[in-house]
């Protein structure tokens, strides 16, 4: 007589892990590294200034003082943008016993918060000009970082810097794209330095991170094969780029927006101390009107990007993918 086996037994409990495995990336390097400040209106403004060019001219003994050379500050600003997520959960779903979370509402709200932070990263890294929107038909948009970078603009081919460099016009894509080179990165860093900037991070998409790791200097860095029986390490990545004008941390960012026609990417040379997220309304979850056996929450944030002085930053555009 055959033994009784699991194939025919009734009443076996399911084996469902109490952990939810989610590998979607939540790192937001730029949002996390730049400053934080407060906005008090939907148009957030700040002032920039510059010093007169250095001069080696002397003054004639006894001569009258020359005319004043005072110059006013420059007033610039950016529009705030609202971004949000809606969570709508039935009362029954919150009540039933679930694996991996106690209540569905709390779990979905936590996930919405992570998604919003990713949305912010993608938004500020883009090439979208600021817009005041229109009542009821068009959203207000902030001018993303690429629309501000005009002074230290470097193109691999024939791209054009944004007009005005104040977030009101987009960068024009080149007709072609070309492989990222160390020479172009040096050109950009040098331009930043000459205009008073001291950038500290190089933000690149994953493909360009691998290109940077292939710059010639990496070939000179190796770990000598040990004699103690330990494993040898092959140096195949560059996390720090030492330029003639300072050190850049090479930061890969998954949320950088690529051009589509032609397919191209960008590298951003940034000084985090000269940029900030200006928040009008911080992250908040609002319970919406109840209309039945469910609860609806709206999570939102309203903020803008403050590029304190665009001369502190640079961009290398039109990089081949």
């Amino acid at each position: 007589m055959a033994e009784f086996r699991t194939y025919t037994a009734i009443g076996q409990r399911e084996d469902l892990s109490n952990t939810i495995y989610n590998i979607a990336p939540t790192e937001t390097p730029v949002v996390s590294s730049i400053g934080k400040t407060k906005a008090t209106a939907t148009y957030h403004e700040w002032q920039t200034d510059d010093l007169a060019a250095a001069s080696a001219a002397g003054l004639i003994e006894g001569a009258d003082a020359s005319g004043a050379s005072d110059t006013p500050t420059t007033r610039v600003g950016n529009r705030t943008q609202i971004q949000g997520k809606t969570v709508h959960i039935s009362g029954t779903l919150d009540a039933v016993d679930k694996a991996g979370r106690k209540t569905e509402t709390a779990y979905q709200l936590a996930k919405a918060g992570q998604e919003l932070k990713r949305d912010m990263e993608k938004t500020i890294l883009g090439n979208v000009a600021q817009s005041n929107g229109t009542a009821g038909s068009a959203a207000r948009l902030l001018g993303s970082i690429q629309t501000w970078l005009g002074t230290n603009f470097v193109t691999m081919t024939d791209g054009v810097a944004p007009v005005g460099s104040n977030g009101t016009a987009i960068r024009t894509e080149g007709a072609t794209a070309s492989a990222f080179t160390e020479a172009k990165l040096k050109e950009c860093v040098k331009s930043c330095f000459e205009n008073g900037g001291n950038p500290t991070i190089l933000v690149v998409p994953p493909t360009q991170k691998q290109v940077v790791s292939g710059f010639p200097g990496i070939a000179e860095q190796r770990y000598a094969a040990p004699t103690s029986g330990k494993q040898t390490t092959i140096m195949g990545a560059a996390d720090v780029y030492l330029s003639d004008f300072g050190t850049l941390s090479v930061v890969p960012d998954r949320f950088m927006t690529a051009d589509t026609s032609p397919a191209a990417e960008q590298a951003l040379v940034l000084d985090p101390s000269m940029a900030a997220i200006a928040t009008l309304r911080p992250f908040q979850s609002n319970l919406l009107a109840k209309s039945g056996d469910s609860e609806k929450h709206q999570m939102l944030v309203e903020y803008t990007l403050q590029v304190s002085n665009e001369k502190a930053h640079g961009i290398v555009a039109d990089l081949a993918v």
Side-chain angles (χ1 to χ4, degrees):
M1 182 176 179
E3 66 273 20
F4 194 34
R5 301 180 181 180
T6 59
Y7 298 106
T8 53
I10 303 299
Q12 299 175 68
R13 292 191 180 276
E14 64 178 3
D15 179 9
L16 176 59
S17 173
N18 208 36
T19 301
I20 298 173
Y21 298 93
N22 186 342
I23 66 166
T26 57
E27 302 92 342
T28 53
V30 176
V31 167
S32 300
S33 64
I34 63 178
K36 305 296 183 290
T37 189
K38 183 174 176 58
T40 59
T42 58
Y43 186 57
H44 175 67
E45 296 181 274
W46 60 97
Q47 298 177 78
T48 64
D49 205 354
D50 204 350
L51 300 178
S55 172
L59 296 178
I60 298 173
E61 181 179 344
D64 289 341
S66 62
S69 57
D70 305 316
T71 57
T73 59
T74 300
R75 185 170 172 174
V76 295
N78 205 352
R79 304 286 177 183
T80 60
Q81 181 169 329
I82 306 169
Q83 289 182 280
K85 300 281 183 179
T86 301
V87 171
H88 194 182
I89 307 298
S90 73
T92 302
L93 180 55
D94 258 348
V96 297
D97 189 20
K98 295 172 290 297
R101 67 276 195 200
K102 185 175 181 180
T103 69
E104 191 67 28
T105 296
Y107 175 74
Q108 293 297 336
L109 283 173
K111 192 167 78 167
Q114 293 178 322
E115 291 172 350
L116 267 182
K117 193 174 180 183
R118 289 164 30 125
D119 292 348
M120 291 174 67
E121 182 86 357
K122 186 176 182 65
T123 299
I124 68 172
L125 289 173
N127 183 31
V128 178
Q130 62 177 282
S131 170
N132 194 31
T134 56
S137 59
R140 193 166 50 249
L141 301 175
L142 63 84
S144 48
I145 186 71
Q146 295 182 48
T147 66
W148 288 86
L149 306 184
T151 302
N152 306 311
F153 178 87
V154 175
T155 175
M156 294 301 304
T157 54
D158 54 355
V160 180
V163 177
S165 305
N166 57 6
T168 59
I170 64 171
R171 165 187 60 81
T172 303
E173 304 169 6
T176 56
S178 185
F180 191 17
T181 64
E182 187 177 8
K184 288 292 187 178
L185 175 59
K186 286 184 173 183
E187 180 183 342
C188 185
V189 175
K190 176 174 174 285
S191 179
C192 290
F193 180 79
E194 289 175 336
N195 286 290
N198 293 288
T200 58
I201 61 173
L202 171 63
V203 184
V204 289
T207 298
Q208 305 307 326
K209 173 63 168 67
Q210 293 184 317
V211 173
V212 172
S213 293
F215 285 172
I218 192 66
E220 306 300 323
Q221 303 296 324
R222 295 187 178 89
Y223 281 135
T227 58
S228 59
K230 296 181 180 178
Q231 292 182 329
T232 300
T233 300
I234 299 174
M235 297 293 290
D239 297 316
V240 175
Y241 180 81
L242 181 60
S243 76
D244 294 306
F245 308 103
T247 300
L248 297 173
S249 296
V250 185
V251 180
D253 196 309
R254 295 179 173 94
F255 304 111
M256 295 188 73
T257 304
D259 298 337
T260 55
S261 182
E265 295 178 327
Q266 308 83 40
L268 301 175
V269 178
L270 305 178
D271 178 354
S273 70
M274 294 300 289
I277 297 292
T279 303
L280 180 61
R281 289 188 291 165
F283 278 85
Q284 54 192 267
S285 174
N286 301 311
L287 179 62
L288 304 181
K290 194 174 179 68
S291 59
D293 183 22
S294 64
E295 284 192 354
K296 184 184 292 187
H297 296 255
Q298 183 185 46
M299 178 170 282
L300 60 80
V301 61
E302 185 168 3
Y303 69 101
T304 192
L305 172 66
Q306 175 180 309
V307 182
S308 302
N309 194 311
E310 64 90 18
K311 292 182 179 180
H313 316 285
I315 182 173
V316 183
D318 307 305
L319 310 178
V321 178

